[in-house]
Amino acid sequence: MIFKPHPLSTSRLPASELEKDRKSCRKIGPCGVGKKAIYLNSFYIDRCYYIPFTAIRRVFKRVAMSKGGFSGRGVFASMPYLVVEYDDGQQKQCNFKYENQVDDLLNLLSAEQPQIRLLSEAAERKMEKQKAEMELELLSRLELTPQSEKAVKKLERAIDYLERKPQLSEALSQAAGRWRNYQCTSPSYRWVAMAITTLGFVAVAAGIYSFVVHNDFAVYFILFGIAAVFTFAGFSVLPTARNNRKAIMRLDEQAQKQMEEYIKGYPDFPLPARYAHPIVLRRMQRVIEQGRAEEIDQALIVVKEDLKALNSEVKVSQEEYDEVVAIKPMFLNAMYE
């Protein structure tokens, strides 16, 4: 390996095992999951650290600068992190650009390293409390009418049908999220990005000029360092072939079209293609089981009202937060129609 990952824990992998494991690791965002260790990023460099699984106590998601999740307020995050707790409680926090990448990594760990806990201690306590509250709620629920039971069973069959091809629902959710983020991004950011990128190129030119006229070497490092920071910062914001209005709209349309084609094979599917996600169906089930609706159409209306009511002043649990982040952009993009 040209760049050998640095161990963060007291335990280490032999050099031969590390090289093999690092090369074959599953890359997810800036991190990676191997057979022997997890590979973590610094602020600038991907997978430059590693921790053997034997040293890991917990791996969990943290959402910083957020109005949602366990911070207790609102529903949308701004900066997702992966937190790895190891040795005697030390923590390494890794920044991600997309929250779904953190979820994908945690899902992979759940499947391949089931001994690792995937919640923080605070989250586990909250989950236990929510479980107890849910059990009390189940005991206090009224008996369902025959009509309600029929609706719940119909929704369950629809969930089973969607879960045969989960990639369609995931694509629908992710495409809606990207489209919503693009809509909420101020056009002025593009001008800022262009200015930052221009500064980067100016710094490059200044560095080359300093090199030609044989200025002090410190100048080269400063100018080229500034150039790298400004240029990469600008490129991450500027529109690209995959990050522009037309491409994002096309991705959203394709996801809806694929879902529409799929649910044509299910007679009388209870949702339009733009909302066809298992989470939506499960929330509709809960609405009926709680006695807030009897029919499927009524349950969808209640789900829409619940989503509309979730704003920065509403406290939500982690489970609720994950659900809303997955489906609310679909409803916002469609104006809840």
Side-chain angles (χ1 to χ4, degrees), residues 300-316:
L300 180 58
I301 292 172
V302 174
V303 167
K304 289 179 180 180
E305 293 300 321
D306 288 347
L307 291 174
K308 287 180 182 179
L310 289 171
N311 54 47
S312 60
E313 300 302 318
V314 179
K315 293 184 178 181
V316 295

Side-chain angles (χ1 to χ4, degrees), residues 132-144 289-291:
E133 291 173 350
M134 181 63 70
E135 289 174 354
L136 288 174
E137 182 188 342
L138 289 173
L139 291 173
S140 63
R141 283 181 183 176
L142 299 174
E143 186 176 349
L144 293 178
E289 289 168 349
Q290 291 167 357

Side-chain angles (χ1 to χ4, degrees), residues 142-191:
L142 299 174
E143 186 176 349
L144 293 178
T145 64
Q147 186 177 6
S148 297
E149 285 186 0
K150 184 178 178 181
V152 169
K153 289 179 181 178
K154 183 176 181 179
L155 291 171
E156 189 63 39
R157 290 193 295 270
I159 291 171
D160 292 340
Y161 185 73
L162 287 184
E163 289 183 340
R164 294 176 194 173
K165 288 192 174 182
Q167 67 273 18
L168 295 180
S169 298
E170 291 173 7
L172 192 69
S173 174
Q174 291 176 11
R178 287 190 63 186
W179 176 227
R180 183 63 186 172
N181 288 337
Y182 186 87
Q183 289 177 307
C184 294
T185 301
S186 173
S188 62
Y189 288 174
R190 297 183 185 88
W191 293 103

